[in-house]
Amino acid sequence: MTANFKRVFGEAKPVIGMVHIGALPGTPLFDPSFDLLAAARADLLALQEAGFDAVMFGNENDRPYEFNVDTVSTATMATLIGQLKAEITVPFGVNVLWDPMSSIALGAATGAAFVREIFTGTYASDMGPWTPDAGKAMRYRDRLGRSDMAMLYNVSAEFAHSLDQRPLPDRARSAVFSSIPDAVLVSGQITGEAAALSDLEAVKAVLPDIAVMANTGVKHETVADVLSIADGCIVGSSLKIDGDTWKSIDPERARDFMARAKKARS
């Protein structure tokens, strides 16, 4: 594990709960009557009370997604996180879909401990050709004085198909060599869909010394199997009312999930 990963998460296999912020101003689904702050606060507190190791704030509701998000999206997320900072009791991360530079900027501005994004690869996606620049993003992080902010690289982009024909383990191994991530994330095809356990196993086999985490679709019934392979996981949809990505966190589902995760880790 890298020094940044250990500093943020310790030695245990972290379980990171998602705070999916409501649709932000300027996006098609934005509802001026919806209380973004109250909804984010309720989800944050539910995750912390359930015992999650960390939380991550993301703009999952800003569909259709963009590669270069409107400045107001990043600014609004920063404002919301700033208003919640006094209530955050665990390490937190950020993700501005699907914009590495905005994610880095938001993380630096809010004091986030980690950031998640698609930083490497070339993809055909629902949003068009996708060619992130890890070198630019990491240099930006360091110029902002946040070399301590852990970088979580999703190497199997959702809503997309990799144009790189190398097998996933080879792409993951290459990303670690060339881009220096603190963790590699393996995802399913879209939000809420699970990564194949065989993919997690294959990536972990070639990256024994780097944290490999399940990024999507971890469920109550599968968390033990996932954590037997992966070095942690990120979860959102499974914790929501009725398991619906677009609803709020169900405190009971969150507590049950974390109880299962702790049992699996022990």
Side-chain angles (χ1 to χ4, degrees):
M1 306 299 173
T2 68
N4 275 348
F5 190 88
K6 289 181 180 178
R7 180 169 55 251
V8 175
F9 301 113
E11 299 290 342
K13 296 185 175 188
V15 179
I16 303 170
M18 288 300 307
V19 177
H20 289 152
I21 295 172
L24 298 170
T27 63
L29 297 176
F30 175 63
D31 178 359
S33 67
F34 182 75
D35 192 332
L36 291 169
L37 180 60
R41 173 178 283 118
D43 283 358
L44 168 67
L45 296 180
L47 292 170
Q48 290 182 160
E49 290 167 3
F52 279 74
D53 303 298
V55 299
M56 179 158 53
F57 297 92
N59 61 329
E60 203 76 33
N61 288 282
D62 284 356
R63 298 166 287 157
Y65 303 120
E66 299 180 294
F67 297 136
N68 298 291
V69 305
D70 192 315
T71 303
V72 72
S73 297
T74 311
T76 303
M77 290 182 73
T79 298
L80 293 169
I81 294 169
Q83 291 176 299
L84 294 170
K85 277 288 287 287
E87 300 173 69
I88 301 175
T89 60
V90 296
F92 76 90
V94 298
N95 186 195
V96 185
L97 301 169
W98 293 95
D99 187 339
M101 300 300 281
S102 291
S103 295
I104 294 292
L106 179 62
T110 58
F114 60 96
V115 60
R116 173 188 71 176
E117 246 305 337
I118 301 291
F119 289 109
T120 60
T122 302
Y123 305 89
S125 79
D126 295 346
M127 295 77 69
W130 195 347
T131 54
D133 186 336
K136 185 177 180 181
M138 186 165 282
R139 284 168 173 79
Y140 187 41
R141 178 199 69 166
D142 291 357
R143 286 203 310 276
L144 294 176
R146 288 303 316 276
S147 59
D148 63 314
M149 187 164 61
M151 304 279 277
L152 278 53
Y153 279 42
N154 184 356
V155 296
S156 48
E158 300 134 78
F159 315 104
H161 171 72
S162 176
L163 298 178
D164 185 337
Q165 295 304 300
R166 293 176 297 173
L168 177 59
D170 287 345
R171 288 192 279 118
R173 185 165 55 93
S174 182
V176 168
F177 183 91
S178 65
S179 304
I180 329 172
D182 294 293
V184 166
L185 311 181
V186 181
S187 305
Q189 287 297 305
I190 64 172
T191 300
E193 289 191 3
L197 290 179
S198 58
D199 284 344
L200 282 170
E201 289 175 332
V203 173
K204 188 58 193 174
V206 298
L207 296 175
D209 300 322
I210 292 289
V212 174
M213 304 178 71
N215 189 50
T216 61
V218 184
K219 296 178 171 55
H220 294 67
E221 298 79 12
T222 62
V223 64
D225 290 336
V226 167
L227 292 179
S228 72
I229 302 166
D231 300 301
C233 66
I234 299 169
V235 59
S237 299
S238 295
L239 312 177
K240 304 297 189 71
I241 295 170
D242 302 324
D244 186 334
T245 301
W246 313 116
K247 294 182 179 179
S248 59
I249 297 287
D250 179 335
E252 182 54 40
R253 287 178 70 95
R255 285 192 293 270
D256 183 26
F257 187 96
M258 202 58 209
R260 296 178 187 227
K262 289 178 178 178
K263 181 178 180 181
R265 291 190 304 199
S266 66

